[in-house]
Amino acid sequence: MEGRIREHRSRVVVTLRDLPSVDELLRQLEIDGLPHNFVVRIVRRVLDEARAEIRAGREPRPLEAAAREALQVRSPLRRVINATGVILHTNLGRAPIAPGGYSNLEYDVASGTRGRRDIHVSGLLEALLGAPGIVLNNNAAAVFLVLHELAAGFEVVVSRGELIEIGDGFRIPEIMARSGALIREVGTTNRTRIGDYRNAISERTRLILRVHPGNFRIQGFTARPELRDLAALARERQIPLYEDLGSGCLVDLRPFGIDEPLVRDSLDAGVDLVSFSGDKLLGGPQAGIIAGKAELVQRVRRNPLFRAFRAGKTVYAPLAATLEATLRERWNEVPALRMIMAPVQEIRRRAERVARETGGVVISGESVIGGGSTPQQSLPTWLVAYEGDVVRRQERLRASDPPVIARVSDDRLLIDLRTVSENEEAELIQALR
């Protein structure tokens, strides 16, 4: 250590040589319960921040303490006891919800001052995506707000093949028009090249929009620029690149047969801003999430319409729980992911048990994701099939308590155990009998 730490005006000065390696700091931390890659990423960030402090002539924070603080991934949202006498306390979530009561929705417990509801998920989003984020009530609101803030009165360049309808009449061109943005269409339905984007950009352009066609696929004679090429063009022209990813896939599901673009991959490719749903492949409550460059996220957040579209208190707790379970790779705590990842052998075992008790027959089949996600992609499964009066069977199942919703194919009633939890099996068997 001699020569590595020098005295300067009676205080210890840390030099770059004093900093441990990534492996050394990992050994000191001995962190369990978090994915190794995530811990390594945090450790590298802490070391980078320490190097920056040293180069600026400042003493860095103690590394172990800084790393442990950065690895605190739980949501700060918690139940609080409201002893103020204020029944509809704004900072404590206004009206208490049974059975949980009040919470610190907009209250900083440590400082005793008003806080911001964003904080309850922002740390988890940044840990998962490497970028800050905000939450709105759904993804349609997210799309509208981004366009309204960044491009109202100006042009947004978008491929004709991405001017899609998501569902229930929600169409990208119409939401763009309502936001005040002007559509500048490029390319054709099936083929759009990087040159089409380049030629369309003018002094009126404020945004390049990329839309993931989550509920359909165009195959055959097609062309679409690589995301990195589009990001490079956006940087060259100093125009933000915004991608609406819709389904919000945060976990690589390709080992399970589902190939969807990852939100983090888009940000790593150079996309400035992304938006996606909370209740699709993310597996959480209905919400719209905007993430990306801090200055753009804050710009959107300061838009006067943000308050109209922000998520309510009942969203934050389940969303934070979903994000934390995803970060910790506890897939069983996220029902949608648990169903996607369910081993097909386990589904067959359960199907055979239900069939034995209800007079059904086990056959092979397919499960689908649904919700406007992963078109033309399915998961292998095992079904319990029933012959006979299918219409009458469906009616009786819907009239049971709780109602059972099945599907029909080839004049057979089909039950797919992939989407039935084990603690629901007894009720399902009773209804089928």
Side-chain angles (χ1 to χ4, degrees), residues 391-401 403-404 431 433:
V391 173
R392 178 62 178 153
R393 279 183 177 272
Q394 277 190 302
E395 290 175 349
R396 295 189 65 176
L397 286 176
R398 292 198 303 267
S400 62
D401 184 19
V404 174
R433 284 173 174 166

Side-chain angles (χ1 to χ4, degrees), residues 85 89 91 99 222 270 319 370 401:
H89 198 303
N91 297 351
T222 62
L319 180 58
D401 184 19

Side-chain angles (χ1 to χ4, degrees), residues 121 125 128-129 131-143 146 242-246 248 250 263 273-279 282 284-292 297 311 315 319 323:
V121 296
L125 285 171
L128 282 161
L129 303 177
I134 54 176
V135 182
L136 294 92
N137 53 25
N138 58 41
N139 193 49
V143 174
V146 169
Y242 162 48
E243 184 174 26
D244 173 28
L245 279 167
L250 302 190
V263 176
L273 215 55
V274 296
S275 65
F276 52 94
S277 295
D279 59 343
L282 194 155
Q286 178 174 305
I289 298 171
I290 300 172
V297 171
V315 169
L319 180 58
L323 293 172

Side-chain angles (χ1 to χ4, degrees), residues 214-228:
N215 57 0
F216 73 97
R217 290 287 184 272
I218 297 178
Q219 296 179 328
F221 188 59
T222 62
R224 195 184 195 207
E226 292 292 330
L227 203 51
R228 290 190 182 278

Side-chain angles (χ1 to χ4, degrees), residues 36 105 137 160 168 243 280 314 327 358:
H36 179 71
L105 182 69
N137 53 25
R160 286 188 175 89
D168 195 27
E243 184 174 26
K280 291 189 178 181
T314 55
L327 179 60
T358 61

